[in-house]
Amino acid sequence: MAGALALAAPPWWEPRRWAKRAWRAAQRFWRLRVTRRYKVRAGGVVARGDKVLLISSRKTPGAWILPAGTAERGETLRETALREVREEAGVACVVARDLGAFADDAKLVRTTFYVMRVATSYAEWEDRDRGRLRRWWRARDASPRLKARDREALAAYLACLEDDDDTRRLGET
């Protein structure tokens, strides 16, 4: 027995990770193919002056996203957005306005975004421990850095900014 080789599990066989991936795949299949129900999400476009707060994507290195997540049972979309921004970006916010709902029909996901203003910024937050970064970008320069799913929400925010600028100009004349 001294010369026997010990069999090692293949690298993809980590029981917890494997089980979690299988469960999520089953949930996705059930939602997409059987129930055809949209996953309900909420998030925020956190604004400060002419800048917006983006966070790094955990799944796609080098990509940036708007903070958003799935609503928990009994939680309103506004509460979900505030919680997700606090957890993922480490800022407590105040909702300034409703930006609208944006649907991804291919994945059956509907995300409602809110424009938010920062009330408190935390040095330590939940997702920072998991390697999540946050960064302020000029709103007009942020779009190319965003994942495709968030670009529509940012475009709606920029349209709101232009509408506000037009309203101010009309008030000045």
Side-chain angles (χ1 to χ4, degrees), residues 70-81 83-84 86:
T70 306
E72 293 179 358
R73 196 170 290 228
E75 191 176 44
T76 67
L77 290 176
R78 187 177 289 244
E79 291 167 346
T80 299
R83 176 182 53 79
E84 288 293 338
R86 187 180 61 251

Side-chain angles (χ1 to χ4, degrees), residues 17-148:
R17 288 179 99 183
W18 184 83
K20 188 176 184 180
R21 285 183 184 152
W23 176 248
R24 286 210 171 131
Q27 285 180 318
R28 194 175 313 113
F29 175 82
W30 186 260
R31 187 170 41 82
L32 291 173
R33 303 284 186 251
V34 179
T35 65
R36 302 288 302 165
R37 289 188 186 156
Y38 279 81
K39 180 192 254 185
V40 179
R41 300 176 75 235
V45 177
V46 182
R48 183 175 66 188
D50 69 336
K51 296 185 177 186
V52 293
L53 183 67
L54 303 182
I55 58 174
S56 60
S57 171
R58 289 190 298 169
K59 294 179 184 174
T60 312
W64 294 85
I65 59 174
L66 294 170
T70 306
E72 293 179 358
R73 196 170 290 228
E75 191 176 44
T76 67
L77 290 176
R78 187 177 289 244
E79 291 167 346
T80 299
L82 291 168
R83 176 182 53 79
E84 288 293 338
V85 168
R86 187 180 61 251
E87 288 175 1
E88 293 182 352
V91 290
C93 294
V94 176
V95 174
R97 70 189 294 175
D98 184 349
L99 198 54
F102 303 90
D104 181 350
D105 294 328
K107 293 183 179 179
L108 291 179
V109 175
R110 185 174 292 121
T111 307
T112 301
F113 278 99
Y114 297 90
V115 177
M116 300 181 177
R117 305 283 179 230
V118 177
T120 307
S121 182
Y122 302 108
E124 297 293 324
W125 68 94
E126 188 175 324
D127 278 10
R128 182 176 186 202
D129 299 336
R130 299 179 188 150
R132 178 90 66 176
L133 303 173
R134 67 179 176 200
R135 185 169 169 194
W136 290 97
W137 298 85
R138 285 196 48 208
R140 300 189 194 296
D141 299 336
S143 186
R145 293 169 174 85
L146 275 176
K147 278 182 136 179

